[in-house]
Amino acid sequence: MARGQLRIFLGAAPGVGKTYTMLQEASRRAGRGADVVVGLVETYGRRHTSAMLGDLEVLPRRTVAHRGAEFTELDLDAVLARRPELVVVDELAHTNVPGARHAKRWQDVHELLDAGIDVLTTVNVQHLESLNDVVAQITGVRQRETVPDGVVRAAEQVELVDLTPEALRRRMAHGDIYRPEQVDAALGNYFRAGNLTALRELALLWLADKVEEQLDAYRADHGISATWETRERVVVALTGGPEGETLIRRAARIAARGRGADLMAVHVTRDDGLAGADPATLSRQRVLVESLGGSYHQVIGADVARALLEFARAVNATQIVLGASSRGRFAQLLAAGVGATTAALSGTIDVHLVAHERTARGVRNRRVPVALSRGRRLAGFATAVVGLPALTGLLRLAPALSLTTDILLVLVMVVGVALIGGLGPALFTAVAGSLLLNWFFTPPFGNLMIDEPDNLLALVIFVVVAIAVSWVVDQAARRTTQAARAGADAQTLAMVAGSVLRGTRPLPALLERLRETFTLRSVTLLEAGVVVAYAGDQPCTSPADADAEVKVDDDLVMLLRGRPLAAADRRIVEAFAAQSAVALRQERLAEEAAAAKPLAETDRMRTALLAAVSHDLRTPLAAAKASVASLRSADVHFDADDRAELLATADESLDRLTGLVSNLLDMSRLQAGALGVTILAVGAEEVVPRALDDLGPAGRAVVTHLPGHLPALAADPGLLERVLVNLIGNALRYSPPDRPPAVTAGALGDRVELRVIDHGPGIPADRWEHVFLPFQRLGDRDNHTGVGLGLALSRGLTEAMGGTVVPEETPGGGLTMVITLPGVP
């Protein structure tokens, strides 16, 4: 049986018309003769959406009882039994009520697809798991219902239902999305023009990535390796040389000419594992690329040009930027350079060869491989000086050996000297060995003349082979030394990365690791003459105090104290220095973000407060004004009962207004850190009755159980009373009449718990934290009955007293709010 196909209608925000467009498609398919049913659609009372249901067959929903309340969900079994060709299932990210077959609606959809049924569904961009944090930063609202990106990406079709922010706000103002009493708060919070613009961009970019994935899959399935210039991608090749910064900036300018172009930097590492590029330079260039909005990549290949082109084709690059060759003309005649080879093999990819300061310097600036140590070279010469006479003496004692055998034995000596001392001692051994062979073993003996042409040819071949073997052995020895050095450097850098990643503050860990690695007394990071970080006993306050100095950039320098820095160690220390600059920048960004967070939270709260003033204060103000205006009116005569009722209405409205303003002011003080808290020893038996008295007649129904031996609480009596009034009032609002809420207390170690218990419908566990967010009245769901500001204020006041407020499930159904505060012995 073929699997069903999934089509998702993606929107940037509630109200853009996802469900409407989905129902349009369902009606179109039904009109063409397809068997279409509606499994579940949420209209939220929107008349245009409701009208689109038309003549479509709507399956009854399944009723689920949970915590004393009834909820309706998709009847999955009914859909499977009906087996239509196409089913409409709204809100893919929805969380099912506990007790359903699956926890998430997208899992219901997967079961329908497995049964061979096509599905139409909807989802908003804020419900995508990968964008959850981004959306929370933009809107200040963290979505609790999310769907994995892979589920949406796996859909056969994803269609964007787009609407401009201005059109969506007009639709909101006309009452086409939320009820009139919710419009002001929505337009002032979630549906601000900036929020909607950012969400729209997220939706467009996410869908563009999805389209790109589909294009890549199509090209791979059809074996298309040629570049399709659907999007400008500029690849800059880095060698690790100082010219890299010039190339990066040139590539960034090229990418900037095409809006939305991608910048990618790539370094090709030799596949023999040997160190080639300077890691410190590459680190600095990586930082530069990322600061320009690009990405850094590293690939391995034996042929740099081919590896570069393979990478460029894999990412569908349109342009490649390389540095012009610094090799001399003679070298270019012998072998084409990377730039020329890349240009010749690039095909449809444009190649830019950029001139730089090092272009004309030729082979003189090419890096010479690290030579063997002076001690090894001296040992090689000593071996030649001692070994050649000794070998000559042994050969003269065995006159039966032929000249060929003598030549081979001397060649072994040459190879041995090359292994010990490198090319110089080996060449000396080869020349000296040829002279000894000529003098002692080639007729006529005792002079450098050679009678037979064969012997002359044998000695010439010996010299050529000896030189060639010496060069090969020397190169192998050098490569071995380089490989060992590269391995040690890689291990050190791996330790650096590990210490940085594991630490909460990467910069001190990085400097301490450098100090330990090179046994230094101190390592100091100096910026414009000021010590910004150091590790060890005493920081260096100036370069004159240091044994070694490594410049990081124009303002930043690393000073090392303890011993002079060996030339072989400088490259790895420069890598440390480059990483320290990155770590310093990250720490400063983290500090700036931490400093900006309270300001952003204060701004968000200020916006919420303004929205509350315009929305939540309207009802009590209107009621009080109407009552007072009626009493002052000379046109109507009121008897004593009517006057008393109007005064009671005004009094009640003003009390509500006073309570709301007090909550708003306290929340504002909490956010500003200006709330005065006076901690005293207070007994639960004192504060709980006062809170119940504040609730009036309703508070008399609350059941209390306060043990007499309970320790006192360390709290502000007034603030704790406010917390209890809010929590008990909320419990009274949701408790059934026959099961009033209860307040209990108990000691737990050195802390005291106060529990406010209700037996109402409760709240799903994944929504517990949501109820503590102030002014959360938005989203696809009708949540106008939310708890508003009270719970947010209660938690804030309790935390200001050093306590916590956490929700728990009430056994048998309901919600328990647990206040935990320090006890007083």
Side-chain angles (χ1 to χ4, degrees):
M1 178 175 57
R3 178 178 168 86
Q5 293 197 344
L6 177 62
R7 182 172 180 178
I8 298 176
F9 294 87
L10 175 68
V16 296
K18 304 180 302 297
T19 304
Y20 185 91
T21 306
M22 177 179 64
L23 291 174
Q24 270 188 328
E25 174 62 17
S27 298
R28 186 188 69 81
R29 298 273 291 271
R32 294 175 58 183
D35 182 13
V36 180
V37 301
V38 176
L40 185 144
V41 164
E42 300 287 359
T43 64
Y44 300 111
R46 299 167 188 167
R47 60 185 185 277
H48 299 298
T49 304
S50 300
M52 281 304 302
L53 286 170
D55 298 328
L56 293 173
E57 178 185 351
V58 181
L59 295 180
R61 301 189 186 190
R62 187 168 73 94
T63 301
V64 181
H66 179 63
R67 294 176 177 172
E70 291 187 345
F71 303 88
T72 60
E73 295 285 2
L74 171 68
D75 194 337
L76 185 59
D77 291 329
V79 178
L80 292 172
R82 173 67 173 73
R83 294 196 63 80
E85 295 179 38
L86 175 68
V87 62
V88 176
V89 181
D90 208 359
E91 295 187 356
L92 184 64
H94 168 72
T95 300
N96 292 330
V97 175
R101 184 183 308 175
H102 302 297
K104 295 286 188 177
R105 184 165 291 165
W106 62 264
Q107 295 171 318
D108 295 337
V109 168
H110 267 208
E111 185 169 345
L112 294 172
L113 296 173
D114 291 337
I117 302 173
D118 295 344
V119 178
L120 300 181
T121 188
T122 64
V123 71
N124 277 331
V125 71
Q126 65 262 32
H127 294 296
L128 295 174
E129 184 65 46
S130 65
L131 300 178
N132 190 258
D133 291 340
V134 179
V135 173
Q137 292 173 1
I138 294 171
T139 65
V141 179
R142 183 173 293 277
Q143 300 294 331
R144 303 296 173 180
E145 294 183 328
T146 59
V147 59
D149 287 48
V151 173
V152 183
R153 290 187 185 278
E156 281 72 21
Q157 295 184 64
V158 178
E159 179 178 333
L160 179 66
V161 182
D162 190 30
L163 197 65
T164 64
E166 295 77 11
L168 183 56
R169 286 171 59 84
R170 283 197 302 270
R171 182 179 289 181
M172 172 70 73
H174 293 158
D176 293 337
I177 302 175
Y178 293 142
R179 289 195 295 272
E181 62 269 20
Q182 295 178 283
V183 170
D184 290 341
L187 291 175
N189 286 274
Y190 194 92
F191 283 80
R192 294 197 300 267
N195 286 1
L196 297 178
T197 301
L199 292 173
R200 188 185 187 203
E201 183 178 10
L202 283 178
L204 290 169
L205 291 174
W206 192 93
L207 190 61
D209 289 339
K210 162 73 174 174
V211 172
E212 186 176 345
E213 287 180 3
Q214 292 175 331
L215 178 62
D216 291 342
Y218 177 85
R219 296 175 71 238
D221 292 342
H222 291 77
I224 300 173
S225 59
T227 300
W228 286 7
E229 299 184 14
T230 56
R231 186 175 183 176
E232 282 291 333
R233 285 185 179 83
V234 181
V235 171
V236 53
L238 302 179
T239 64
E243 74 281 358
E245 294 186 4
T246 301
L247 301 181
I248 291 169
R249 292 189 176 94
R250 179 61 181 274
R253 291 196 296 270
I254 295 173
R257 295 171 189 165
R259 185 172 177 81
D262 294 333
L263 173 64
M264 300 179 179
V266 60
H267 171 66
V268 180
T269 303
R270 291 159 50 177
D271 63 354
D272 55 11
L274 301 181
D278 183 357
T281 304
L282 282 177
S283 296
R284 289 192 293 268
Q285 292 170 2
R286 177 173 189 163
V287 171
L288 176 60
V289 170
E290 292 173 349
S291 69
L292 294 173
S295 58
Y296 177 85
H297 307 266
Q298 195 158 331
V299 297
I300 299 175
D303 188 320
V304 174
R306 295 185 184 276
L308 175 62
L309 286 171
E310 287 177 4
F311 173 82
R313 292 192 177 102
V315 300
N316 205 23
T318 57
Q319 302 185 63
I320 298 176
V321 177
L322 303 98
S325 176
S326 60
R327 301 163 69 239
R329 293 184 179 180
F330 181 72
Q332 293 184 37
L333 290 175
L334 295 178
V338 173
T341 305
T342 303
L345 302 177
S346 63
T348 59
I349 303 176
D350 296 337
V351 177
H352 303 266
L353 295 177
V354 179
H356 49 85
E357 294 181 357
R358 294 169 58 88
T359 300
R361 298 183 186 179
V363 296
R364 289 172 295 175
N365 287 330
R366 294 180 62 187
R367 190 174 64 86
V368 178
V370 179
L372 299 178
S373 67
R374 183 170 180 270
R376 288 189 59 177
R377 294 198 302 273
L378 291 177
F381 280 114
T383 302
V385 171
V386 175
L388 280 177
L391 179 61
T392 302
L394 290 175
L395 293 177
R396 286 184 61 81
L397 295 176
L401 297 178
S402 65
L403 178 61
T404 303
T405 302
D406 297 336
I407 289 175
L408 290 177
L409 291 173
V410 174
L411 184 60
V412 171
M413 173 64 71
V414 172
V415 172
V417 171
L419 287 172
I420 296 172
L423 183 60
L427 291 178
F428 168 77
T429 305
V431 173
S434 65
L435 294 176
L436 290 174
L437 287 170
N438 188 0
W439 186 274
F440 290 105
F441 304 106
T442 305
F445 303 112
N447 59 58
L448 298 179
M449 301 297 295
I450 301 175
D451 291 341
E452 298 181 14
D454 290 346
N455 292 337
L456 176 62
L457 179 61
L459 286 176
V460 170
I461 292 175
F462 163 75
V463 173
V464 172
V465 171
I467 293 174
V469 171
S470 300
W471 184 84
V472 170
V473 172
D474 175 75
Q475 290 298 310
R478 291 174 186 271
R479 292 294 181 93
T480 301
T481 303
Q482 291 179 24
R485 181 69 187 182
D489 290 351
Q491 185 177 6
T492 302
L493 291 174
M495 292 170 61
V496 171
S499 63
V500 170
L501 291 175
R502 287 189 295 269
T504 55
R505 297 190 61 202
L507 184 56
L510 190 68
L511 298 182
E512 181 61 28
R513 178 63 66 180
L514 175 60
R515 190 188 69 81
E516 293 176 356
T517 301
F518 293 97
T519 60
L520 300 169
R521 287 172 52 200
S522 69
V523 178
T524 306
L525 204 58
L526 211 64
E527 185 177 31
V530 179
V531 176
V532 293
Y534 77 95
D537 50 7
Q538 289 291 332
C540 298
T541 57
S542 70
D545 299 334
D547 295 311
E549 175 183 352
V550 177
K551 187 175 181 181
V552 183
D553 55 32
D554 293 338
D555 298 322
L556 206 60
V557 63
M558 178 175 284
L559 304 178
L560 311 178
R561 175 188 287 170
R563 64 180 179 86
L565 185 64
D569 294 333
R570 178 165 287 273
R571 289 175 67 250
I572 195 69
V573 172
E574 287 177 347
F576 271 94
Q579 291 301 319
S580 68
V582 176
L584 178 63
R585 185 180 66 168
Q586 289 176 341
E587 283 196 3
R588 288 179 173 171
L589 289 175
E591 291 172 359
E592 292 174 3
K597 186 176 180 180
L599 297 177
E601 184 63 24
T602 301
D603 182 67
R604 189 186 72 82
M605 183 54 60
R606 185 182 297 112
T607 302
L609 292 175
L610 292 174
V613 168
S614 65
H615 181 270
D616 293 341
L617 301 185
R618 184 178 302 163
T619 300
L621 278 174
K625 180 176 176 56
S627 298
V628 174
S630 299
L631 289 171
R632 295 185 59 192
S633 174
D635 299 332
V636 181
H637 176 73
F638 296 99
D639 57 24
D641 292 338
D642 291 338
R643 291 175 62 83
E645 184 177 351
L646 288 172
L647 287 171
T649 301
D651 184 60
E652 181 183 352
S653 299
L654 291 174
D655 283 344
R656 289 177 57 196
L657 186 61
T658 301
L660 182 56
V661 170
S662 297
N663 284 346
L664 291 171
L665 290 176
D666 283 344
M667 181 59 75
S668 179
R669 293 189 188 102
L670 274 174
Q671 295 297 320
L675 182 69
V677 180
T678 303
I679 302 298
L680 301 173
V682 58
E685 69 279 2
E686 301 173 16
V687 71
V688 172
R690 289 203 301 265
L692 296 178
D693 289 341
D694 290 343
L695 291 168
R700 299 169 190 165
V702 178
V703 178
T704 61
H705 179 66
L706 306 174
H709 60 279
L710 193 68
L713 300 96
D716 185 307
L719 296 184
L720 180 56
E721 183 179 335
R722 293 283 305 283
V723 172
L724 287 169
V725 168
N726 281 331
L727 295 183
I728 298 173
N730 192 62
L732 285 167
R733 190 176 305 117
Y734 291 100
S735 291
D738 58 337
R739 301 191 70 185
V743 178
T744 67
L748 184 65
D750 59 349
R751 304 184 76 80
V752 178
E753 289 186 347
L754 294 175
R755 293 176 173 265
V756 179
I757 305 167
D758 72 60
H759 301 280
I763 301 173
D766 61 348
R767 304 284 293 176
W768 282 353
E769 289 301 314
H770 182 78
V771 301
F772 291 103
L773 301 176
F775 309 109
Q776 298 306 307
R777 301 170 181 265
L778 305 176
D780 272 352
R781 296 199 161 275
D782 178 12
N783 55 2
H784 67 283
T785 58
V787 294
L789 187 63
L791 290 180
L793 179 60
S794 297
R795 172 172 277 187
L797 294 176
T798 305
E799 290 177 350
M801 295 184 288
T804 61
V805 176
V806 295
E808 291 182 359
E809 184 176 0
T810 302
L815 188 69
T816 297
M817 289 292 181
V818 183
I819 307 170
T820 304
L821 288 165
V824 178

